[in-house]
Amino acid sequence: MNLLVVGTVAYDSVKTPFGEEASVLGGSATYFSVAASYFTEVGVLAVVGEDFKREDLATFEKHHIDTSGLETALGGTTFHWEGEYGYDLNDPKTLKTDLNVLAEFNPRLPEACRDVPYLFLANIDPRVQLQVLDQVKAPHLVAADTMNYWIEGNREDLLKVLRRIDILTINESEARLLAQEFNLVKAARRIISWGPRTVIIKRGEYGVLEISENSIFAMPAYPLDSVRDPTGAGDSFAGGFMGFLANGHGLEPPQSVRQAILAGSVMASLNVQDFSLRRLSALTQDDIRERHRAFQQLTVVESLD
């Protein structure tokens, strides 16, 4: 295993202007691991309840995802999120959150996971993220995600996490909230001063902004004529991004990070074209290569010379 993700495996109930689905497979670790599986060997550390369906476990098996860290809590019910999107797909409205087994999640890494070289801490309680960091031995690269709930409710532990990671992925409103700075470049610079080497700001339909101490890079979002469900887009991006880096790459040279951002953007753009993991889980390498080529053409400008 090259890459481990710690996060949620969930059931989502989602309504968008283009359709509605109830209790379908979701969760940060699910989207991340499936996206990453197209690039590298990946494992999941998460918890589900006894209601977790055999056919949903088969999704992980189909992609050869290591589930030795997927715990089933006896007598428990899987984490459930219900949300609704309007035509502004960047702004979901949470209708209901049932933490269920996630409320008592106490991650225990299998021995085989402790030597993992690449680690992604998905959007979960910073205290859980710290528990995982205390159990891994010497990862080559650690990235993390967070959200406004933890920024406002558990900032102290979140800052402890930031001191121990290499990359933070975060959306633009959360970056401003965390840094208490409106300008995104200044916000990222302040976050970098707290620990991470690189901050990747997810901007939805406006793409991605990557800022490190000595460089700034922007990647547009792919213009799609059909977006059905944006749930999991950020996690699919992170999975493609980290999967690419874990497949023999790293943070150096800077071009590797930019290629990883392209890989993540490709996976996010494919994921949003259907509900749950229907599109993401059914991809072929040809699908990925075709979208990759189309993405590259977005930013090619011929010289006037």
Side-chain angles (χ1 to χ4, degrees):
M1 184 197 309
N2 294 326
L3 172 62
L4 177 68
V5 57
V6 184
T8 58
V9 174
Y11 284 126
D12 294 340
S13 296
V14 181
K15 182 177 182 180
T16 79
F18 315 105
E20 184 174 358
E21 297 285 344
S23 297
V24 291
L25 182 62
S28 59
T30 308
Y31 284 104
F32 179 100
S33 61
V34 172
S37 72
Y38 290 98
F39 300 91
T40 193
E41 295 177 354
V42 58
V44 169
L45 186 68
V47 62
V48 295
E50 286 190 304
D51 62 327
F52 194 67
K53 301 173 185 175
R54 181 66 184 81
E55 56 264 36
D56 292 325
L57 182 62
T59 298
F60 295 95
E61 295 170 347
K62 171 186 174 182
H63 292 274
H64 307 288
I65 295 165
D66 188 329
T67 57
S68 60
L70 183 61
E71 174 189 345
T72 300
L74 299 180
T77 303
T78 302
F79 173 64
H80 175 255
W81 176 80
E82 182 176 350
E84 182 175 354
Y85 296 83
Y87 284 99
D88 180 1
L89 297 176
N90 288 334
D91 187 24
K93 179 181 179 182
T94 295
L95 303 178
K96 189 177 183 182
T97 301
D98 298 314
L99 291 177
N100 298 328
V101 295
L102 191 63
E104 303 297 327
F105 183 37
N106 182 26
R108 295 183 296 274
L109 270 69
E111 191 61 36
C113 295
R114 294 175 186 261
D115 290 315
V116 67
Y118 289 82
L119 173 66
F120 186 76
L121 305 169
N123 177 18
I124 51 177
D125 191 329
R127 289 171 294 188
V128 175
Q129 294 176 327
L130 289 169
Q131 284 181 270
V132 174
L133 287 169
D134 288 340
Q135 295 179 65
V136 292
K137 293 181 179 178
H140 177 67
L141 189 149
V142 180
D145 196 358
T146 193
M147 65 179 294
N148 56 356
Y149 182 82
W150 308 120
I151 294 169
E152 294 175 324
N154 197 357
R155 185 181 181 88
E156 182 177 343
D157 283 330
L158 178 57
L159 290 176
K160 292 178 183 177
V161 172
L162 295 182
R163 290 195 286 268
R164 299 175 65 178
I165 66 173
D166 302 289
I167 302 171
L168 178 69
T169 66
I170 192 169
N171 74 32
E172 55 186 318
S173 65
E174 293 159 353
R176 291 182 173 116
L177 178 64
L178 175 59
Q180 298 179 335
E181 172 65 61
F182 179 80
N183 181 279
L184 289 177
V185 176
K186 291 181 178 179
R189 298 282 194 223
R190 180 167 295 174
I191 294 168
I192 288 169
S193 74
W194 297 332
R197 297 158 60 187
T198 299
V199 174
I200 296 177
I201 300 175
K202 301 171 289 185
R203 305 185 66 215
E205 62 180 314
Y206 304 111
V208 175
L209 182 63
E210 180 259 330
I211 299 174
S212 60
E213 187 174 1
N214 299 312
S215 69
I216 297 177
F217 175 71
M219 172 71 67
Y222 189 74
L224 295 165
D225 58 12
S226 175
V227 176
R228 299 202 68 202
D229 178 15
T231 308
D235 299 307
S236 300
F237 168 85
F241 173 81
M242 288 293 289
F244 180 89
L245 292 180
N247 187 17
H249 304 280
L251 290 182
E252 300 295 341
Q255 189 63 24
S256 293
V257 177
R258 296 178 180 186
Q259 290 287 349
I261 289 171
L262 175 55
S265 299
V266 165
M267 302 312 289
S269 72
L270 291 164
N271 173 72
V272 301
Q273 292 186 298
D274 207 343
F275 283 86
S276 186
L277 288 96
R278 290 176 189 155
R279 176 70 167 140
L280 191 66
S281 182
L283 295 174
T284 66
Q285 290 296 331
D286 284 342
D287 293 328
I288 295 170
R289 282 191 288 267
E290 180 180 350
R291 182 59 54 83
H292 188 279
R293 285 191 293 267
F295 245 108
Q296 288 181 311
Q297 291 302 311
L298 283 178
T299 54
V300 173
V301 179
E302 302 295 338
S303 172
L304 292 176
D305 295 335

